[in-house]
Amino acid sequence: MGEVRKLQKKLRQIENLEIKISLTPEERFKISRKAELRSRLAELQLQLSGPQQTLGIVGDGKKEKMKRQVEDAPEALPSQTPPASKILKGEEQSKAQATPAPAARQRERGGGAEIGRRREGTEPANVSDQCRDADNEQHLRQEEAEFTSLKASWEKARFRLRLLEGHNDIVTCVVAVDNLVVSGSRDTTVKVWHVPTATEHKNLGGHTGGVTCLAAPPPEFCKRLAWSLSLSDKERFILSGSADCNVKIWALSIGQCVKSIYTFNAVTALCFVPEEDGYIITGSDGGKVQAWSWHTFENCQSINAHQEAVTSVQSQGPLVFSGSAEGGVSVWENRCSDRDPLRLLHHWSGQVTGCGGGPAGRLTLSPRGDRVFLAHGRAWLKILHWRTGAMSRLTNHSSITGVTDCAHQTGGLLIGSCYDVANGESSLNLFSLPQCRYLASLTWPDAPRILCFAAWTTGSGDHRWVTGGRDLIVWEQLPRSGKQRGDVTVRRDSRLESCSLESEGDSEDDEEETDDCEDDEDEGRAGRRDSAEEDGGSGSWLRCVLQ
């Protein structure tokens, strides 16, 4: 079993090496052994597999323990968390619904007298309570019927895939604007694609370092900038951040950079906050979060917010969420001020989130109301209830060798990418929101690892997605009628269905998984650490991804 874990560890390291640009001869030799290591791992898994479990998937018998816990536990009621647009108006209600475990413990501690009165049974049940129970039961039946219908529809879903060819390196970020897809790559370019024809529309060259992040301001904010530049009021703009320390603003129709902001730090994440005159929020490889005015393009605030590189920044109304390589998550409130607009509401360290992956880690986040979905390179999606710090996790892969690189929400769907480093299989897992119940998995032959994701819907309500990584691929949902054959295979993983949502009360598996990623036997680690110090302390996540 020890050799199995060592092989899994080496394969995970090789996958991280492959996304580097410059490789040493030693690193190239390690990558060349990937097929050999996968073959040896498959052989060991076959030898060690038994009627009770497959050790290559389960690992040390822990799957059986988790399976017993799931079977013994009562079925959890689906969360009733309201949509993000209503969360600030119903804060107290959402807090109670988003953290059922603490509420249950409080009832256990302080509700003894009430339980005693119920057990005595000296008074008849209140009619209103009976009506309320009946309404709840009816609501649950209706919710279950809706979920069953949704699950059945996704089991029949079909997608046609189209490859967008043009980038010379890994695609690190994508956004969708109308019928256009905009992608950024380590090859330093930003490309604009016309989706209906799957052709390159514009090649936006100007960055001197790898492009790490993109953002699309809403149309009303684009109109303000277009007016000030004497451009058409239909002009759309895109923001791009790069390792060259610049944020560039591009006009898509003319394909030109209309503004460049030098940030003095390698930009690793950014988002646009559509409040008041608008703000650009950037994250740097050194952990700094900065706010820039959309009106003047001047720096409004600089905060040393995280210990390592900021790998994700997202906005939700007046709130800004930032996540970092060491696993920390910060929640900020935008006070719409010319100076220091961001006020820290909460900060949760990597010890709380359980997402610490070391300085080379990568955390991406997707907020929804009081919850933030966290993808952190493990087999789970973590869920942080950011008002209380309560954590739960959503199973996103049936194998401990699975990694989750990104999470995205579209409509009533949560979509998590998963990649198995042991066999190279890649897929997208779909969950219903807000209950986070597993729907289906989508995959196709030779699917590459998915590092970024964007989604939108057509006028007829069908889904269109774009995924980036080694390949840039557009997913177009096919109509249910007709005899068209889709490129995507829809399947269901019973292991994901049986143990999808878990509390963070028992984190043994998570701790062991973290240990798996730390290769104390890797002879090159010390050399990389020394190199990091010589580089002046810049974030190693950025060097790993965009070096």
Side-chain angles (χ1 to χ4, degrees):
M1 190 59 208
E3 186 176 357
V4 169
R5 302 189 70 82
K6 287 182 180 179
L7 289 172
Q8 292 170 346
K9 202 183 294 186
K10 289 180 180 178
L11 285 169
R12 190 184 297 274
Q13 292 166 351
I14 286 174
E15 289 294 338
N16 290 331
L17 284 178
E18 282 193 313
I19 61 176
K20 295 177 62 177
I21 291 180
S22 59
L23 298 173
T24 66
E26 181 183 0
E27 290 170 336
R28 293 183 185 277
F29 173 73
K30 288 182 178 180
I31 292 175
S32 69
R33 296 187 60 212
K34 181 169 68 172
E36 175 189 345
L37 294 177
R38 281 180 174 168
S39 177
R40 176 58 180 162
L41 178 59
E43 180 181 341
L44 287 175
Q45 289 174 340
L46 183 61
Q47 294 175 0
L48 296 172
S49 61
Q52 287 80 25
Q53 61 179 9
T54 302
L55 294 179
I57 293 178
V58 187
D60 288 339
K62 288 202 168 187
K63 183 71 175 183
E64 291 301 314
K65 183 186 76 172
M66 184 175 70
K67 184 177 179 181
R68 287 194 299 272
Q69 290 174 346
V70 173
E71 290 175 347
D72 295 340
E75 182 178 357
L77 294 178
S79 169
Q80 298 298 317
T81 306
S85 60
K86 299 181 180 179
I87 194 67
L88 297 179
K89 298 180 180 179
E91 174 180 341
E92 295 301 323
Q93 180 182 358
S94 297
K95 288 165 66 177
Q97 293 162 345
T99 58
R105 289 194 294 268
Q106 184 176 0
R107 288 195 297 269
E108 291 174 1
R109 292 193 298 265
E114 181 181 352
I115 294 173
R117 287 194 297 271
R118 289 180 181 176
R119 288 180 177 175
E120 290 174 4
T122 57
E123 296 182 3
N126 192 300
V127 176
S128 61
D129 292 340
Q130 293 179 349
C131 294
R132 188 181 303 111
D133 292 341
D135 290 343
N136 289 339
E137 184 177 353
Q138 182 180 0
H139 176 73
L140 290 176
R141 284 199 300 266
Q142 180 181 355
E143 194 173 64
E144 184 64 27
E146 291 175 354
F147 172 76
T148 301
S149 175
L150 181 63
K151 181 173 64 173
S153 67
W154 276 107
E155 288 175 349
K156 299 177 182 178
R158 294 172 299 170
F159 281 85
R160 176 63 44 82
L161 303 183
R162 289 184 292 177
L163 181 66
L164 303 181
E165 298 182 280
H167 282 297
N168 298 321
D169 212 321
I170 288 177
V171 176
T172 59
C173 46
V174 289
V175 294
V177 180
D178 300 329
N179 281 326
L180 301 175
V181 163
V182 185
S183 58
S185 170
R186 289 191 317 191
D187 63 12
T188 74
T189 66
V190 176
K191 290 184 180 293
V192 185
W193 309 85
H194 186 244
V195 174
T197 58
T199 57
E200 183 177 321
H201 188 58
K202 292 281 193 310
N203 179 37
L204 310 180
H207 283 295
T208 58
V211 179
T212 59
C213 44
L214 296 168
E220 57 269 26
F221 290 89
C222 292
K223 287 182 180 180
R224 299 179 193 176
L225 180 58
W227 181 82
S228 66
L229 297 173
S230 299
L231 297 175
S232 168
D233 59 359
K234 295 182 180 179
E235 182 65 73
R236 296 301 300 270
F237 297 93
I238 285 291
L239 311 175
S240 63
S242 168
D244 64 9
C245 305
N246 282 288
V247 172
K248 291 185 179 293
I249 304 175
W250 307 88
L252 293 185
S253 66
I254 61 177
Q256 294 182 4
C257 176
V258 297
K259 183 67 179 180
S260 184
I261 304 173
Y262 188 73
T263 69
F264 297 94
N265 302 277
V267 181
T268 52
L270 67 79
C271 73
F272 187 87
V273 181
E275 297 290 324
E276 294 292 331
D277 289 332
Y279 297 86
I280 304 170
I281 308 298
T282 61
S284 78
D285 67 332
K288 185 177 292 186
V289 172
Q290 296 178 290
W292 309 81
S293 169
W294 180 248
H295 177 63
T296 64
F297 302 108
E298 295 180 354
N299 180 252
C300 302
Q301 190 174 12
S302 294
I303 312 166
N304 293 318
H306 297 278
Q307 298 176 0
E308 298 290 345
V310 179
T311 57
S312 184
V313 178
Q314 297 290 333
S315 66
Q316 178 183 261
L319 301 178
V320 175
F321 299 80
S322 60
S324 65
E326 83 275 5
V329 175
S330 293
V331 186
W332 312 84
E333 179 187 22
N334 179 19
R335 298 177 294 180
C336 300
S337 170
D338 292 337
R339 301 303 306 173
D340 299 336
L342 297 180
R343 179 174 70 92
L344 181 64
L345 295 179
H346 297 277
H347 174 77
W348 306 106
S349 67
Q351 287 74 21
V352 174
T353 65
C355 297
R362 181 172 182 260
L363 172 70
T364 60
L365 54 83
S366 179
R368 179 185 178 90
D370 277 0
R371 298 182 294 177
V372 186
F373 297 97
L374 309 175
H376 63 116
R378 300 291 186 272
W380 302 280
L381 278 165
K382 289 294 188 70
I383 304 174
L384 168 65
H385 302 273
W386 59 267
R387 295 188 188 274
T388 63
M391 293 293 304
S392 56
R393 69 186 184 188
L394 189 64
T395 304
N396 192 52
H397 203 287
S398 57
S399 168
I400 62 172
T401 59
V403 296
T404 302
D405 289 301
C406 61
H408 187 88
Q409 299 175 57
T410 174
L413 289 177
L414 171 65
I415 303 174
S417 70
C418 73
Y419 180 79
D420 195 327
V421 299
N423 55 32
E425 294 181 355
S426 180
S427 62
L428 291 176
N429 290 329
L430 276 56
F431 302 88
S432 65
L433 289 173
Q435 300 90 347
C436 298
R437 298 179 64 181
Y438 172 67
L439 292 168
S441 298
L442 308 180
T443 188
W444 70 101
D446 302 321
R449 185 172 179 177
I450 296 172
L451 301 178
C452 52
F453 186 98
W456 70 105
T457 55
T458 65
S460 60
D462 292 330
H463 289 270
R464 274 185 177 172
W465 302 339
V466 58
T467 56
R470 290 289 179 187
D471 294 326
L472 182 63
I473 298 173
V474 170
W475 301 51
E476 184 176 5
Q477 188 176 15
L478 299 176
R480 298 179 185 177
S481 59
K483 297 183 179 180
Q484 290 180 322
R485 185 174 179 180
D487 300 327
V488 172
T489 301
V490 181
R491 59 179 175 81
R492 289 186 58 78
D493 191 327
S494 59
R495 283 174 289 230
L496 293 187
E497 187 175 13
S498 62
C499 54
S500 58
L501 190 61
E502 308 168 23
S503 69
E504 285 287 85
D506 181 7
S507 58
E508 279 185 44
D509 295 337
D510 224 10
E511 292 172 0
E512 185 165 342
E513 178 68 16
T514 302
D515 293 340
D516 282 346
C517 297
E518 300 175 358
D519 188 6
D520 295 331
E521 301 171 359
D522 187 358
E523 64 275 9
R525 168 178 274 187
R528 288 195 299 270
R529 186 184 302 114
D530 294 340
S531 176
E533 294 173 356
E534 292 174 2
D535 287 344
S538 61
S540 56
W541 170 81
L542 179 67
R543 289 197 304 277
C544 179
V545 176
L546 292 172
Q547 201 167 3

